[in-house]
Amino acid sequence: MAIVHFLPILWGALISIMQIDAVYVSQWYNAPFIGLENYGQLFDFDTTVGSRFWFSMRQTAIFALGTVLGSYSLGLLTAILLDSEFRGSGVARILVLLPWICPAVVVLLVWRMMLLSDTGIINHVLLSAGVISDPLVWLIGPNAIYSMILVNIWINFPWATIMLYAALKSIPDHLYEAARIDGAGRWGQFRYVTLPQLKPISVVISLLLILWSFINFTVPFVLLGQSATRSGEVSMLFIYNYAFQNYAFGLGGAMSVVLFLFAMGIALIYYKYAVSGTFEGEGDD
């Protein structure tokens, strides 16, 4: 834990208060101490780096929100379908796992080919079905953020399905029997039995998906590359591109610290008001 997590965090915080650029990159220990100057640039919205960084934070929030809503909704629907017995249900459970267990880079490269505007199969299918009249540009321009959300949902919904499927199996049958006796139909059972019983695992799934989306680098980098347009330039990708293209490692460290604190703040607030409250409520019952 110290080597993998704590030391990199401390290193990032250290270089964020130093002027490590192209001049001092090979002799970082001689870099001058500049205090909070890097942070001042970030919180100055009139500067280019400040405005672009906070725009990337906004895109990251959209990316995280879309991922959570899509992955949870699709995961819940799939878990409910898998919870019912049907012919080939065992094979279906295995197939659902494929997007999650396949190597992420391989999956992303396949999606990148599918999303190409001229030769991609997605535009071909949409054109053939008459949904669109002209090919859409998915990886450049305003559609880039929606492409990332779509692909990230595809990768993460199997994990949500597994968690929700296990939770569905743990719901006692007598709760459904009591609901049926009280006259509840399928919707009533789902609303008053299934959803409340799924609340503990649902808040955990949402929290982890939010955090994973905020620190996700693989999806935007492989899908869009280093020349991503502003729509798809989420914080992790922007920090990487800006720091390494401009040799602004001190400023990149400051951006990383801000992103880290922002993600941790969201996690703590969510845990306090959702996760902790949910499990404490269970204990009181």
Side-chain angles (χ1 to χ4, degrees):
M1 289 291 290
I3 295 174
V4 176
H5 294 290
F6 298 136
L7 286 180
I9 292 173
L10 292 176
W11 172 250
L14 175 63
I15 67 174
S16 71
I17 55 177
M18 301 171 66
Q19 186 181 336
I20 300 182
D21 50 22
V23 177
Y24 296 100
V25 66
S26 60
Q27 296 180 337
W28 61 268
Y29 42 84
N30 291 326
F33 172 80
I34 58 174
L36 301 178
E37 184 177 322
N38 287 325
Y39 294 94
Q41 293 187 54
L42 294 183
F43 286 93
D44 186 354
F45 300 99
D46 294 330
T47 63
T48 301
V49 63
S51 61
R52 287 184 62 187
F53 174 71
W54 289 108
F55 182 83
S56 72
M57 290 289 286
R58 171 198 164 190
Q59 296 304 100
T60 304
I62 296 173
F63 177 61
L65 181 61
T67 297
V68 172
L69 293 176
S71 299
Y72 182 84
S73 301
L74 187 57
L76 179 60
L77 176 61
T78 308
I80 293 173
L81 293 175
L82 294 179
D83 190 39
S84 58
E85 293 297 330
F86 57 90
R87 191 171 183 178
S89 58
V91 176
R93 295 186 186 103
I94 296 174
L95 293 176
V96 166
L97 293 176
L98 287 179
W100 189 54
I101 63 177
C102 287
V105 174
V106 175
V107 172
L108 290 169
L109 289 175
V110 172
W111 270 102
R112 185 172 182 173
M113 289 187 291
M114 293 170 59
L115 289 167
L116 291 175
S117 59
D118 49 355
T119 59
I121 191 174
I122 292 181
N123 272 343
H124 177 73
V125 172
L126 294 177
L127 288 169
S128 301
V131 178
I132 58 176
S133 57
D134 296 307
L136 296 176
V137 180
W138 295 102
L139 301 177
I140 301 175
N143 290 328
I145 185 67
Y146 304 115
S147 300
M148 288 198 306
I149 292 173
L150 172 65
V151 175
N152 207 34
I153 290 172
W154 172 259
I155 293 175
N156 285 292
F157 95 88
W159 174 78
T161 299
I162 295 171
M163 303 293 286
L164 291 168
Y165 176 74
L168 286 173
K169 286 296 185 183
S170 66
I171 300 177
D173 291 334
H174 66 82
L175 295 179
Y176 290 107
E177 294 175 2
R180 284 193 292 268
I181 293 173
D182 290 339
R186 289 188 176 182
W187 170 247
Q189 296 175 43
F190 177 76
R191 179 179 179 183
Y192 296 108
V193 178
T194 304
L195 287 181
Q197 292 296 312
L198 291 179
K199 184 179 178 181
I201 193 63
S202 297
V203 294
V204 173
I205 290 173
S206 301
L207 174 61
L208 291 178
L209 287 175
I210 290 172
L211 293 179
W212 291 346
S213 299
F214 262 87
I215 62 174
N216 194 314
F217 175 75
T218 307
V219 171
F221 183 75
V222 177
L223 205 61
L224 304 181
Q226 291 181 300
S227 57
T229 53
R230 292 195 69 189
S231 172
E233 199 172 47
V234 294
S235 297
M236 288 293 292
L237 187 60
F238 172 70
I239 293 171
Y240 174 82
N241 288 338
Y242 190 89
F244 283 89
Q245 290 177 4
N246 299 284
Y247 290 93
F249 298 108
L251 192 56
M255 288 188 280
S256 299
V257 170
V258 172
L259 178 61
F260 170 76
L261 294 176
F262 193 82
M264 288 300 297
I266 291 178
L268 291 174
I269 294 172
Y270 191 87
Y271 181 84
K272 180 178 180 180
Y273 292 102
V275 180
S276 180
T278 298
F279 287 103
E280 287 178 2
E282 282 191 338
D284 296 339
D285 293 340

